[in-house]
Amino acid sequence: MKKIKKMTREDLKTIKGGQVWIAITSCGFTATTTQDWTAQQANEWQAKIEANYCKPATHTGPSYNLA
């Protein structure tokens, strides 16, 4: 697996290319991209990030049902 450098706000200010899009998911994951997207495309990207990284829990705690 590649080691990914965590970008600071200063790093984001120096990125050249397309517009910077930042997605912050409901589960606390943050993703950035510099794609030259429309707002609709960026929203679709954010929804996919949310779906991939914030999957619903399949088990929420200990089970005391030992029947």
Side-chain angles (χ1 to χ4, degrees), residues 47-65:
K48 289 178 183 176
I49 295 291
E50 182 82 27
N52 285 334
Y53 290 94
C54 298
K55 298 183 188 298
T58 57
H59 180 71
T60 59
S63 175
Y64 297 109
N65 184 3

Side-chain angles (χ1 to χ4, degrees), residues 5-16:
K5 177 187 173 202
K6 186 171 182 177
M7 298 180 75
T8 65
R9 291 192 187 275
E10 290 302 314
D11 291 332
L12 292 173
K13 290 177 185 176
T14 62
I15 293 175
K16 302 292 184 226

Side-chain angles (χ1 to χ4, degrees), residues 20-36:
V20 176
W21 295 98
I22 301 172
I24 302 173
T25 64
S26 63
C27 62
F29 183 80
T30 303
T32 60
T33 186
T34 57
Q35 300 294 321
D36 193 18

